[in-house]
Amino acid sequence: MIGTNLAIRSWLSRHWFLPVALAVALGDLSSVYFAGWTDARLVEAALLFDFVVLLPCLYWWCYRRKGRAAVVQAVALACFAIWCTGKLIPNEHRYLIDSVGWLRYVGLAGLLALEIKLGIMVYKAVVFSGQSKSDAQQTFESEGMPPWAAKFMAFEASLWRKAWLFVQRVFRHKRK
């Protein structure tokens, strides 16, 4: 029993964002449910602030030891929050969401550009370095990728490596 309590405390000390985010979301949604949309502009502003600013900042604070990955994930969370808040607020009570909705697309474009850049850099490092699958998987995991995705990416990188070596053999053979 004591071991279980220690494990829960350890988990909560590392992932305190989850219960805090759940409490903020439940508090906001229950206030909308019980109080309604009597002051729609204030409710919309509060929802936008809590979901788009507060929760991503808390996420970053909780997982800041991840470095830049935490910043990228917080921006992704903010983009997702803009979309969710847009779905949550009824059309007749939209005052702010329509004017800040474009930020979601800016954030997504930045995230997409970053993902493409990161993917190219990692693929170059893995494909052209001649790493084994296990080394490539460790490289991907060190970049903050989940183990299942790292395993898949390492497999894919090994296929690209084989294709690159095949192309090199074909063109070396034709030059002679």
Side-chain angles (χ1 to χ4, degrees):
M1 188 66 163
I2 293 173
T4 308
N5 287 339
L6 285 175
I8 291 172
R9 283 185 183 164
S10 174
W11 185 86
L12 280 175
S13 70
R14 286 179 284 125
H15 304 288
W16 57 262
F17 169 76
L18 297 172
V20 170
L22 184 64
V24 168
L26 286 175
D28 284 349
L29 296 177
S30 64
S31 70
V32 168
Y33 180 77
F34 291 116
W37 293 93
T38 53
D39 191 1
R41 289 180 193 254
L42 181 64
V43 171
E44 182 185 24
L47 289 175
L48 278 172
F49 178 79
D50 284 351
F51 290 138
V52 179
V53 177
L54 179 68
L55 289 181
C57 286
L58 288 174
Y59 180 88
W60 171 80
W61 185 257
C62 181
Y63 298 109
R64 66 189 178 277
R65 67 185 170 277
K66 288 182 176 180
R68 289 179 16 199
V71 173
V72 171
Q73 292 167 351
V75 170
L77 181 61
C79 292
F80 180 67
I82 291 173
W83 178 79
C84 286
T85 307
K87 298 294 182 188
L88 179 68
I89 298 171
N91 288 335
E92 62 271 8
H93 298 298
R94 291 177 176 219
Y95 302 103
L96 294 173
I97 193 72
D98 293 333
S99 62
V100 297
W102 62 274
L103 288 172
R104 175 177 171 244
Y105 298 109
V106 171
L108 288 175
L111 289 171
L112 181 64
L114 181 67
E115 286 294 323
I116 289 171
K117 179 183 173 188
L118 180 65
I120 290 172
M121 284 175 32
V122 170
Y123 265 12
K124 278 184 180 179
V126 171
V127 171
F128 298 128
S129 71
Q131 290 182 344
S132 67
K133 276 188 209 178
S134 61
D135 291 340
Q137 183 175 350
Q138 288 176 348
T139 301
F140 290 132
E141 286 180 11
S142 71
E143 292 293 326
M145 193 175 291
W148 65 269
K151 187 174 183 177
F152 176 75
M153 293 273 294
F155 173 72
E156 185 180 0
S158 71
L159 291 178
W160 282 111
R161 172 91 179 134
K162 289 176 184 175
W164 175 249
L165 292 173
F166 176 76
V167 167
Q168 282 183 326
R169 272 197 314 265
V170 167
F171 283 109
R172 263 194 225 143
H173 184 59
K174 285 188 177 183
R175 277 195 260 173
K176 291 182 181 180

